[in-house]
C-alpha cells in the first residue's frame, strides 16, 4: 500500500473555553476552515470544550477524517477530541487523579477534569496504533521548586504508565497534546524515561544551537515554540513573554511496540514543524494562544542500522525511569503531601471557628436591639455557613483525596525503584 507509508498528524490547543476565551466563534470558525483544507491523517485538539464547536470541526473534516471522538470528563469536560482517517477499534479516557484544587476557580483545572484520552486505530500497515491526546495540569511553571508542579508530575507519571502499557501489549504509540512543560523539566523527563517515548521535534531538529536564534520567527521554526511567543497576539503583551522566544509546550511523541522476536515495520518521524501561526484572516488576533504542531511519520521496513531510530526485534530490556528522576519526583510529591496536610489542618480550624461563630450568631439574635439589623445578621450567617461548608469540603474531602493520590504515586515510585534494584541484581548474577 504505497499511499499508506506516511502518516501526518496535528496537535492544537484551541483555547476554547466558552465565555472566557476571547473572539472564540471567529477563531473556531477559522480552525474548522483550516483543518477542512488540510491533509492530516490524525488531528488531536485540546481545549475544545463546547460540543457545538467539536461538531462544527467534525462536519468540516468528515470527508477526509470520518472517524472522530469527543471525550467527556469532570464537570465541564476534558476539552479533548481526536479525528482520524483510520477506523477506531476502541477508545477510553483516563482522568488524572490530581488536577488542582476546587478553590482555584479561575484556573478551572479541577472542574474540567484533565485527562489522557486515547483511541486505538487500525492502520493498514502498522496494525493497531494507540493514539493519545492529553492536556497536563498547567500551574507550577518551569523553575521549581518541584512541589509547585506536583500535580503535573502525577499527571506525567500516570500518562507515562498508560503509554508504556500500550506498547507492552504490542501496539504502536502516537501521543499528542499540550504537556504544559518544556523539554528539560522533570515531568517530561518522567515521560521520556518511563514511557520510552521519542520526541518527534528532537528527532527531526537535532543539534540546534539556541545561541544562534536571533528572532521570534526563527525560534518558532528551529526551536518548535508553540506557546507564549511574541508573535502570538494573545501572549505578545505578557510580561513573561517579553524578551523571550516563548516555550515549547506541545509535543508529538511516539514509540514502537514491544513485540520481542517479531520483525515489524518502523515508524519514524521525518518532519516536524509549527503551523497555524498566521492570524485570523482580516483580524488582528491569532487563531489560538498556542500554535499548532504537525509531524510527518514514515513507515519503513525494519532497519539493521544500530544508529537509526528503531527498535530491534530481539528481546530487549525496556528503558526505565532513572533512580535520580524517581528520587526527585518522590521528594517533590512528599513536599506537596506535607503542604497539603498542613493546608487541610488550617482549613479545618477555619471550619471549627465558623461553627463557633454560627453558634454565637444564633444566640445573639435574641438580643438584637433593632429590627433593621436582622437582614445583616442573615447575610452574615449565610456567608459564614458557606465558608464553613467550603472549608469542610476543601480541608477534609479534597485534602484527604489529594494526600491519598500523592501517597499512591509515592509508593508506586518507591516500589518501582526497589523492583529495578531487584531486577538489576538478578541480571548481574
Amino acid at each position: 500500500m504505497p499511499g499508506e507509508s506516511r502518516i501526518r498528524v496535528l496537535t492544537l490547543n484551541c483555547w476554547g473555553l466558552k465565555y472566557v476565551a476571547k473572539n472564540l466563534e471567529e477563531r473556531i470558525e477559522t480552525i474548522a476552515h483550516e483543518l477542512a483544507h488540510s491533509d492530516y491523517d490524525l488531528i488531536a485538539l485540546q481545549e475544545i470544550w463546547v460540543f457545538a464547536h467539536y461538531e462544527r470541526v467534525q462536519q468540516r473534516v468528515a470527508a477526509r477524517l470520518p472517524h472522530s471522538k469527543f471525550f467527556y470528563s469532570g464537570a465541564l469536560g476534558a476539552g479533548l477530541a481526536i479525528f482520524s482517517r483510520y477506523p477506531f477499534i476502541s477508545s477510553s479516557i483516563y482522568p488524572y487523579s490530581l488536577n488542582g484544587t476546587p478553590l482555584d476557580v479561575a484556573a478551572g483545572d479541577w472542574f474540567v477534569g484533565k485527562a489522557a484520552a486515547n483511541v486505538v486505530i487500525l492502520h493498514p500497515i502498522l496494525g493497531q496504533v494507540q493514539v493519545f491526546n492529553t492536556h497536563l495540569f498547567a500551574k507550577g511553571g518551569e523553575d521549581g521548586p518541584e512541589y509547585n508542579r506536583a500535580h503535573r508530575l502525577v499527571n506525567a507519571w500516570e500518562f507515562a504508565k498508560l503509554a508504556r502499557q500500550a506498547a507492552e501489549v504490542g501496539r504502536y504509540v502516537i501521543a499528542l497534546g499540550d504537556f504544559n512543560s518544556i523539554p528539560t523539566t522533570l515531568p517530561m523527563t518522567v515521560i521520556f524515561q518511563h514511557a520510552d517515548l521519542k520526541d518527534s521535534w528532537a528527532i527531526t531538529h537535532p543539534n540546534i544551537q539556541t545561541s544562534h536564534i536571533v528572532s521570534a520567527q526563527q525560534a518558532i521554526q528551529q526551536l518548535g515554540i508553540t506557546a507564549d511567543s511574541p508573535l502570538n497576539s494573545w501572549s505578545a503583551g505578557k510580561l513573561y513573554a517579553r524578551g523571550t522566544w516563548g516555550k515549547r509546550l506541545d509535543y508529538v511523541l511516539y514509540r514502537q511496540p514491544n513485540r520481542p522476536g517479531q520483525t515489524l515495520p518502523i515508524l519514524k518521524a521525518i518532519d516536524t514543524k509549527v503551523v497555524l501561526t498566521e492570524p485570523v484572516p482580516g483580524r488582528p488576533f491569532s487563531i489560538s494562544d498556542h500554535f499548532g504542531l504537525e509531524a510527518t511519520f514514515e513507515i519503513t521496513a525494519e532497519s539493521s542500522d544500530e544508529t537509526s531510530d528503531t527498535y530491534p526485534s530481539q528481546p530487549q530490556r525496556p528503558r526505565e525511569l532513572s533512580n535520580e528522576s524517581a528520587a526527585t519526583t518522590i521528594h517533590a510529591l512528599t513536599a506537596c503531601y506535607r503542604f497539603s496536610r498542613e493546608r487541610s489542618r488550617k482549613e479545618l480550624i477555619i471550619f471549627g471557628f465558623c461553627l463557633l461563630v454560627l453558634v454565637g450568631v444564633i444566640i445573639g439574635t435574641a438580643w438584637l436591639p433593632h429590627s433593621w439589623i436582622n437582614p445583616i445578621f442573615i447575610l452574615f450567617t449565610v456567608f459564614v455557613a458557606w465558608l464553613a461548608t467550603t472549608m469542610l469540603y476543601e480541608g477534609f474531602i479534597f485534602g484527604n483525596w489529594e494526600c491519598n493520590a500523592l501517597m499512591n504515586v509515592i509508593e508506586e515510585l518507591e516500589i518501582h525503584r526497589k523492583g529495578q534494584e531487584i531486577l538489576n541484581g538478578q541480571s548481574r548474577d
Side-chain angles (χ1 to χ4, degrees):
M1 299 182 183
E4 301 293 351
S5 61
R6 291 196 174 186
I7 303 175
R8 293 188 70 227
V9 305
L10 169 77
T11 179
L12 173 66
N13 183 319
C14 299
W15 191 36
L17 188 59
K18 196 172 184 179
Y19 306 123
V20 175
K22 299 177 180 179
N23 302 106
L24 181 56
E25 288 299 323
E26 292 176 89
R27 295 190 297 101
I28 291 295
E29 177 61 28
T30 303
I31 291 172
H33 175 80
E34 292 292 333
L35 298 185
H37 292 82
S38 67
D39 61 350
Y40 297 113
D41 301 301
L42 290 166
I43 295 174
L45 300 182
Q46 303 88 44
E47 291 199 28
I48 186 162
W49 277 299
V50 181
F51 187 74
H53 293 162
Y54 159 77
E55 288 183 310
R56 187 185 308 182
V57 175
Q58 181 190 43
Q59 292 167 4
R60 300 287 186 86
V61 304
R64 178 172 176 81
L65 308 175
H67 311 283
S68 62
K69 179 74 174 73
F70 181 85
F71 295 89
Y72 301 90
S73 178
L76 302 177
L80 304 174
I82 297 177
F83 305 84
S84 170
R85 186 164 67 88
Y86 313 105
F88 297 164
I89 59 176
S90 68
S91 71
S92 63
I93 184 169
Y94 182 96
Y96 294 126
S97 57
L98 290 177
N99 280 306
T101 73
L103 289 183
D104 194 0
V105 178
D109 294 89
W110 187 84
F111 298 93
V112 302
K114 287 185 174 178
N118 73 86
V119 296
V120 179
I121 63 172
L122 188 61
H123 188 273
I125 297 177
L126 300 177
Q128 293 188 20
V129 181
Q130 194 151 343
V131 181
F132 288 91
N133 182 15
T134 192
H135 189 187
L136 300 193
F137 180 65
K139 284 195 170 183
E142 286 78 37
D143 299 327
E146 292 295 349
Y147 68 81
N148 283 343
R149 51 176 177 258
H151 286 208
R152 201 189 316 161
L153 280 170
V154 171
N155 295 172
W157 171 251
E158 293 173 342
F159 176 82
K161 289 193 299 179
L162 293 172
R164 178 174 174 141
Q165 289 166 5
E168 288 178 345
V169 299
R171 295 174 181 147
Y172 291 84
V173 175
I174 298 177
L176 309 101
D178 175 4
F179 289 78
N180 270 315
S181 305
I182 63 175
T184 55
T185 53
L186 185 58
M188 294 311 300
T189 300
V190 170
I191 290 172
F192 290 143
Q193 290 184 352
H194 190 68
D196 202 11
L197 290 168
K198 296 185 180 297
D199 180 358
S200 62
W201 188 271
I203 293 293
T204 57
H205 296 80
N207 305 319
I208 297 296
Q209 299 294 325
T210 57
S211 59
H212 296 167
I213 306 300
V214 297
S215 70
Q217 184 62 43
Q218 192 179 10
I220 291 172
Q221 295 172 347
Q222 298 190 33
L223 301 181
I225 299 300
T226 57
D228 294 343
S229 169
L231 299 184
N232 189 302
S233 67
W234 305 112
S235 59
K238 293 181 178 179
L239 291 175
Y240 57 80
R242 297 175 186 171
T244 70
W245 303 129
K247 303 174 183 177
R248 180 156 81 92
L249 303 181
D250 302 86
Y251 297 81
V252 177
L253 311 175
Y254 68 101
R255 67 168 288 179
Q256 321 300 317
N258 184 15
R259 300 184 206 166
Q262 297 186 32
T263 300
L264 302 172
I266 296 299
L267 180 69
K268 181 177 181 178
I270 59 171
D271 183 52
T272 316
K273 59 184 176 181
V274 178
V275 295
L276 300 176
T277 59
E278 299 298 322
V280 172
R283 303 289 279 164
F285 49 82
S286 300
I287 291 176
S288 176
D289 61 349
H290 283 235
F291 298 138
L293 181 67
E294 79 167 42
T296 301
F297 294 99
E298 184 177 57
I299 302 170
T300 61
E302 184 182 26
S303 171
S304 59
D305 182 1
E306 293 182 358
T307 64
S308 65
D309 179 31
T310 65
Y311 279 84
S313 59
Q314 297 302 316
Q316 193 176 46
R317 179 93 178 267
R319 189 178 181 185
E320 299 294 345
L321 184 67
S322 71
N323 190 64
E324 179 183 2
S325 297
T328 305
T329 304
I330 291 170
H331 179 76
L333 299 183
T334 302
C336 185
Y337 179 89
R338 295 194 190 100
F339 175 81
S340 179
R341 297 293 291 182
E342 180 62 21
R343 186 197 62 222
S344 296
R345 186 184 68 83
K346 292 178 180 177
E347 288 165 345
L348 290 176
I349 289 174
I350 295 174
F351 166 71
F353 177 75
C354 288
L355 291 184
L356 293 176
V357 171
L358 285 174
V359 172
V361 168
I362 293 172
I363 296 173
T365 54
W367 288 278
L368 290 178
H370 305 287
S371 60
W372 59 266
I373 300 179
N374 193 53
I376 299 176
F377 261 65
I378 292 175
L379 291 176
F380 179 71
T381 303
V382 170
F383 170 76
V384 175
W386 168 82
L387 181 61
T389 303
T390 302
M391 289 298 100
L392 177 62
Y393 180 86
E394 173 78 7
F396 180 72
I397 298 178
F398 175 74
N400 286 328
W401 180 334
E402 182 180 37
C403 288
N404 288 340
L406 289 168
M407 187 55 65
N408 274 336
V409 177
I410 290 170
E411 292 184 351
E412 285 179 10
L413 288 166
E414 290 282 10
I415 292 172
H416 180 78
R417 282 207 303 177
K418 293 177 181 177
Q420 293 311 305
E421 291 174 0
I422 294 172
L423 292 175
N424 291 335
Q426 288 182 346
S427 63
R428 290 191 294 266
D429 292 342

